[in-house]
Amino acid sequence: MTATDPRESVHKRRPTMGRVPNVTRADAPSFLRNPLAFVAARWTPDPRIVRRAALTALVMSVVIVVTGGAVRLTGSGLGCPTWPKCTEDSLHNTAEMGVHGYIEFGNRLLTYVLCAAVGWAIVAARSQKPYRRSLTRLGWAQFWVVMGNAVLGGIVVLVGLNPYTVAAHFLLSSALIAVATVMWQRTREGDAEPRPLVGKAVVQLVWFLVAASALLIAVGTVVTGAGPHAGDSSEVARMPVDWETVAKLHAVLAWIVVTLTFALWFVLKAVDAPQGPLARTRELFVILLAQGVIGYVQYFTDLPEVLVGAHMFGSCVMWIWVLRVLLSLRERPEAAPQPQAVPAQEPAASASIAGPR
């Protein structure tokens, strides 16, 4: 009998992944009737997997906004002149369409990546044990927003980049980011009733901040719709307003958001608020300062495309952190497990069964 090196038992560990159950042909009808329930019955993801799936969906919702901005800033908005095909005869772009066709079609392909990320978040949330209906609904909400925005994106192309449809396309993307942010936050919380960490006056101040930030984003779409970046190499219709005047209004709203954020930080310090809301507010203040620097530099340097794209990315990050500040004002611990009733014992069928043996 040979001796075993004790080091082998330390370094050679069994794999931690659970056994994957066999799937037979008999399981096919069950899978076709309800594939999510079928997967959930056979797989329980680690909570970290659910959090990463939700974060992936959030990251992709930002990526699709940035790449959509790249389509506009490179003049590739009509690189594929029709929808859902790229041309009347081709589903994808052709070499004759040049770089604009590649950029526009590439952005369309990223929509499928976004759908896959959102689908993965839905599957992971549905399979988590115990089942959390609120989490799954947030995943499905993202799915339907993505579908609606895909259709709206096609309408944007079919109407020749009408600036109002382009603005609606961006605002719907902001709504997607909001839902994805809430889902990501909820994956790190329990399902108990939320407990406020600050007073009602602070919550009202934060809601003012959220409203001002949403208005800031909306006015930003007007600046873009009236500004020089049309989204196509040819001239397209612009919003009939003076874009410099709207840009100044946008700057005023930005300063209002900065002021509200600083006031919120001061109030949180004064009431000795928990570290969570303080940290999120401090991070938001830094993001706003960086976003303001980019905004002023792009304005005084005649709107270079790189800085405009960076400003769009900063807008997404700012919106995420505004929502994180709002969500940090309460905590949701794990819900207490519900006591299960112990089933009553059935009476014996006969005295011979009930009696001692």
Side-chain angles (χ1 to χ4, degrees):
M1 181 175 180
T2 59
T4 303
D5 189 345
R7 291 175 296 180
E8 294 184 2
S9 62
V10 175
H11 297 290
K12 293 184 178 180
R13 300 179 183 272
R14 291 184 178 181
T16 57
M17 183 176 178
R19 183 178 65 86
V20 178
N22 294 327
V23 179
T24 64
R25 289 186 178 181
D27 295 319
S30 176
F31 175 80
L32 293 175
R33 282 196 300 270
N34 194 333
L36 287 179
F38 180 86
V39 173
R42 290 159 175 78
W43 177 56
T44 300
D46 187 274
R48 291 175 297 178
I49 293 178
V50 182
R51 289 194 293 268
R52 289 169 184 169
L55 180 59
T56 301
L58 175 58
V59 170
M60 278 307 306
S61 67
V62 175
V63 169
I64 202 71
V65 170
V66 175
T67 56
V71 170
R72 186 181 188 92
L73 295 169
T74 57
S76 306
L78 295 177
C80 288
T82 188
W83 185 86
K85 292 184 177 181
C86 196
T87 67
E88 293 292 341
D89 304 319
S90 176
L91 182 64
H92 57 82
N93 63 302
T94 60
E96 293 78 10
M97 300 170 69
V99 67
H100 296 304
Y102 283 104
I103 294 174
E104 165 64 9
F105 184 69
N107 185 63
R108 293 189 182 186
L109 288 181
L110 279 177
T111 303
Y112 295 100
V113 180
L114 173 61
C115 290
V118 172
W120 174 237
I122 293 173
V123 172
R126 177 63 180 84
S127 302
Q128 189 177 17
K129 310 297 187 302
Y131 171 59
R132 301 174 61 185
R133 181 181 297 273
S134 60
L135 208 59
T136 308
R137 284 178 173 176
L138 287 169
W140 279 111
Q142 290 182 70
F143 174 80
W144 291 115
V145 173
V146 171
M147 292 297 100
N149 216 10
V151 174
L152 182 56
I155 294 174
V156 169
V157 174
L158 296 177
V159 298
L161 305 183
N162 179 280
Y164 296 101
T165 60
V166 174
H169 193 46
F170 182 82
L171 292 176
L172 199 53
S173 297
S174 298
L176 173 63
I177 291 174
V179 179
T181 301
V182 174
M183 182 178 182
W184 178 47
Q185 176 68 25
R186 294 289 288 114
T187 59
R188 299 180 296 165
E189 299 176 333
D191 280 331
E193 285 296 319
R195 294 199 301 246
L197 299 176
V198 296
K200 186 176 294 185
V202 177
V203 175
Q204 291 174 346
L205 176 60
V206 173
W207 275 111
F208 276 118
L209 174 63
V210 173
S213 301
L215 184 59
L216 176 66
I217 293 173
V219 174
T221 63
V222 178
V223 175
T224 304
H229 292 294
D232 180 49
S233 55
S234 62
E235 187 64 29
V236 299
R238 316 304 299 141
M239 290 184 180
V241 294
D242 180 30
W243 78 269
E244 292 191 358
T245 301
V246 181
K248 292 175 182 177
L249 174 61
H250 183 66
V252 171
L253 286 171
W255 278 112
I256 292 175
V257 172
V258 171
T259 303
L260 287 173
T261 303
F262 182 77
L264 174 63
W265 178 83
F266 184 81
V267 170
L268 290 173
K269 290 287 287 184
V271 300
D272 196 20
Q275 185 60 32
L278 272 170
R280 300 294 85 77
T281 304
R282 185 167 54 247
E283 293 161 0
L284 174 61
F285 187 73
V286 174
I287 292 170
L288 288 170
L289 291 181
Q291 180 76 335
V293 169
I294 295 173
Y296 276 108
V297 171
Q298 71 168 358
Y299 179 80
F300 290 111
T301 55
D302 296 327
L303 303 178
E305 286 81 359
V306 174
L307 288 182
V308 175
H311 198 60
M312 290 184 64
F313 172 72
S315 174
C316 297
V317 176
M318 179 213 72
W319 182 229
I320 292 172
W321 248 259
V322 167
L323 296 172
R324 293 195 71 193
V325 169
L326 176 65
L327 296 171
S328 70
L329 302 182
R330 86 285 187 278
E331 63 179 0
R332 300 186 71 151
E334 295 289 340
Q338 297 294 330
Q340 296 182 357
V342 179
Q345 295 182 353
E346 296 182 0
S350 64
S352 62
I353 297 177
R357 294 283 182 175

